[in-house]
C-alpha cells in the first residue's frame, strides 16, 4: 500500500515550529511511515539550526520553500509580528492548494497564534476556522486525541460568558454526530460517546441550571434515535476520569477549558489536535507557539511526531 503524502506546515516562524520540525526529523525516520513535505522557509530552518547549535543536515527534509521571511536573522524570534502572521497563512494556503491538486492527502500544522494573525490583518482565530474557509467547509469541529482520552468540543474559542447561549440542541446534535465521525476517522467501531453537562453536577435536575434539561438531553435522545451509542449528560468532574479509565471512547464537551484542562493533564506532551468535517485529514501538535522557549533549543517534538503518526493512521 502506498505511503500517505503529508504536508507539514512550519507554523509561526518565530515560535517553536521550525525547531520541532528539525528535531522530529532528527529523532525518527518519518519517511518510513509516510512521504512528508515541509512547507515553510528554508532560510528560517537554516537560521534555527545555527542559533541553537544543532548538527543537522537540512537535505534530510524535503521542503517546499516559500521564502516568506526575507531576513531570518532579523526575525522577531519569540514574538508575534505582522511578518510571521503573513507567513503562517502563506504556508497553510499552499498546503490546501497541494491538497486540491491531489499532491497531498493530509496536512499536519505546526502552531500559530491569533495575535500574529491579527497583526497581519487576517480575520481568523486559528487553523480550524481558517482551513474551514479555505475549503468552503461550513460545519466542522475541533477534536483532541490521546491514547486514553479523546474529546470533541461544542464551542471552541468563545468567551466563557457566551457559552450558555451557544448550548442549543442543534449544536449539541451536530457535535455528537461529529464525535461519531471522529471515531470513524480513528477506526473505532461502535464507539461509546459520552456527553458532558454544562453546569456543576450536570445541572442537578434543573436546580443549578436548565441547559441539560432543555437542550442537551433532547439532543442526546435525538442522536440515540439515529443509532449512535451516546449517553449523558454527565457531570464533567467525574466523566473525564471514567473516559480515561476506558468506559467511553469519546467525550463531547461543552466548552474549551472543560475539555482541555483534563486532556492536557493526562496528555500534555503527546496530545494531538485534529479537525472533523474537512475534506482531508488535518492534525496538529496540541500546544502553542511557546514563544517563551522558542529558538532556545528547549522545544520537544513529541506532540508533532504523534500528530504525524495519527495523520498516517486516520481516514477521512
Amino acid at each position: 500500500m502506498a505511503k500517505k503524502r503529508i504536508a507539514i506546515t512550519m507554523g509561526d516562524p518565530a515560535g517553536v515550529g521550525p525547531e520541532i520540525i528539525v528535531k522530529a526529523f532528527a529523532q525518527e525516520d518519518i519517511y518510513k511511515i509516510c512521504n512528508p513535505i515541509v512547507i515553510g522557509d528554508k532560510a528560517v530552518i537554516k537560521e534555527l539550526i545555527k542559533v541553537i547549535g544543532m548538527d543537522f543536515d537540512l537535505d534530510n527534509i524535503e521542503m517546499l520553500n516559500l521564502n516568506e521571511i526575507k531576513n531570518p536573522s532579523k526575525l522577531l524570534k519569540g514574538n508575534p509580528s505582522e511578518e510571521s502572521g503573513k507567513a503562517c497563512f502563506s504556508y497553510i494556503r499552499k498546503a490546501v492548494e497541494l491538497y486540491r491538486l491531489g499532491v497531498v492527502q493530509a496536512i499536519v500544522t505546526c502552531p500559530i497564534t491569533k495575535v500574529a494573525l491579527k497583526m497581519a490583518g487576517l480575520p481568523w482565530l486559528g487553523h480550524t476556522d481558517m482551513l474551514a474557509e479555505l475549503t468552503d467547509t461550513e460545519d466542522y469541529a475541533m477534536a483532541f486525541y490521546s491514547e486514553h482520552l479523546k474529546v470533541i468540543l461544542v464551542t471552541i474559542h468563545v468567551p466563557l460568558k457566551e457559552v450558555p447561549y451557544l448550548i442549543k440542541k442543534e449544536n449539541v446534535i451536530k457535535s455528537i454526530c461529529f464525535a461519531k465521525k471522529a471515531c470513524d476517522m480513528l477506526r473505532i467501531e461502535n464507539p461509546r460517546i459520552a456527553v458532558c453537562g454544562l453546569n456543576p453536577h450536570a445541572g442537578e435536575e434543573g436546580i443549578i441550571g436548565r441547559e441539560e434539561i432543555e437542550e442537551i438531553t433532547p439532543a442526546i435522545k435525538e442522536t440515540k434515535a439515529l443509532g449512535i451509542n451516546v449517553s449523558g449528560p454527565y457531570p464533567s468532574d467525574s466523566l473525564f476520569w471514567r473516559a480515561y479509565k476506558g468506559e467511553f471512547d469519546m467525550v463531547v464537551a461543552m466548552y474549551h477549558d472543560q475539555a482541555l484542562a483534563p486532556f492536557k493533564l493526562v496528555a500534555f506532551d503527546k496530545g494531538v489536535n485534529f479537525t472533523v468535517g474537512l475534506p482531508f485529514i488535518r492534525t496538529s501538535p496540541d500546544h502553542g507557539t511557546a514563544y517563551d522557549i522558542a529558538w532556545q533549543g528547549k522545544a520537544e517534538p513529541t506532540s508533532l511526531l504523534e500528530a504525524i503518526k495519527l495523520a498516517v493512521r486516520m481516514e477521512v
Side-chain angles (χ1 to χ4, degrees):
M1 189 173 181
K3 287 183 287 188
K4 193 176 289 181
R5 183 73 157 156
I6 296 178
I8 304 172
T9 59
M10 199 171 72
D12 190 326
V16 294
E19 184 176 339
I20 60 176
I21 286 174
V22 170
K23 287 184 174 178
F25 277 85
Q27 184 170 309
E28 292 194 26
D29 188 355
I30 297 171
Y31 288 93
K32 285 184 177 180
I33 61 171
C34 66
N35 290 316
I37 177 170
V38 174
I39 302 174
D41 277 49
K42 199 166 189 176
V44 170
I45 298 288
K46 285 182 178 179
E47 176 77 3
L48 178 278
I49 292 169
K50 182 178 76 173
V51 168
I52 67 174
M54 186 174 176
D55 182 17
F56 182 80
D57 185 356
L58 192 50
D59 290 336
N60 291 333
I61 299 178
E62 181 183 349
M63 189 166 186
L64 181 58
N65 180 26
L66 298 191
N67 196 29
E68 289 291 326
I69 307 299
K70 304 306 179 186
N71 190 342
S73 64
K74 294 185 178 180
L75 176 69
L76 290 174
K77 303 171 181 69
N79 292 279
S81 67
E82 178 183 350
E83 181 184 36
S84 65
K86 288 180 177 177
C88 292
F89 175 59
S90 180
Y91 307 150
I92 296 159
R93 181 175 55 190
K94 178 58 70 172
V96 173
E97 180 184 323
L98 293 184
Y99 162 74
R100 291 191 186 278
L101 293 171
V103 177
V104 301
Q105 294 78 52
I107 298 174
V108 177
T109 57
C110 285
I112 62 176
T113 65
K114 302 168 188 62
V115 176
L117 294 179
K118 186 175 181 180
M119 292 172 76
L122 297 166
W124 303 286
L125 293 175
H127 279 117
T128 307
D129 54 337
M130 182 190 298
L131 287 167
E133 186 166 329
L134 289 173
T135 56
D136 299 316
T137 301
E138 293 185 5
D139 293 326
Y140 54 90
M142 180 184 288
F144 297 85
Y145 169 89
S146 70
E147 182 180 357
H148 297 294
L149 189 60
K150 300 157 191 70
V151 298
I152 198 163
L153 307 181
V154 176
T155 64
I156 305 178
H157 296 129
V158 298
L160 193 56
K161 66 180 180 180
E162 295 178 13
V163 169
Y165 303 102
L166 298 172
I167 305 304
K168 301 299 181 184
K169 184 180 76 169
E170 59 270 22
N171 293 338
V172 179
I173 288 173
K174 192 180 295 183
S175 297
I176 294 170
C177 292
F178 273 133
K180 173 61 168 64
K181 180 173 176 59
C183 290
D184 292 342
M185 293 170 70
L186 295 167
R187 306 183 188 186
I188 300 172
E189 295 184 6
N190 191 29
R192 302 157 298 169
I193 298 168
V195 181
C196 281
L198 172 66
N199 299 293
H201 302 185
E204 194 121 14
E205 298 184 7
I207 297 173
I208 313 177
R210 296 194 57 82
E211 286 85 0
E212 287 78 9
I213 293 172
E214 295 174 0
E215 308 292 345
I216 301 174
T217 297
I220 292 169
K221 288 180 179 178
E222 286 198 25
T223 47
K224 191 176 289 187
L226 297 174
I228 297 176
N229 184 7
V230 58
S231 60
Y234 298 108
S236 59
D237 61 357
S238 58
L239 174 56
F240 288 99
W241 171 251
R242 294 169 65 184
Y244 176 76
K245 297 297 287 185
E247 190 175 340
F248 301 106
D249 297 301
M250 177 75 70
V251 174
V252 179
M254 296 299 115
Y255 58 94
H256 185 277
D257 285 13
Q258 183 183 51
L260 271 294
F263 182 83
K264 291 193 176 185
L265 180 65
V266 301
F268 187 82
D269 58 342
K270 290 187 176 182
V272 178
N273 173 3
F274 68 100
T275 309
V276 187
L278 295 174
F280 51 79
I281 294 163
R282 177 261 166 167
T283 67
S284 180
D286 183 30
H287 61 70
T289 51
Y291 287 135
D292 57 326
I293 63 167
W295 289 75
Q296 299 174 38
K298 298 177 181 179
E300 291 293 331
T302 309
S303 189
L304 174 59
L305 285 167
E306 292 297 318
I308 295 169
K309 292 172 184 176
L310 186 63
V312 170
R313 290 180 8 228
M314 290 177 73
E315 296 179 344
V316 177

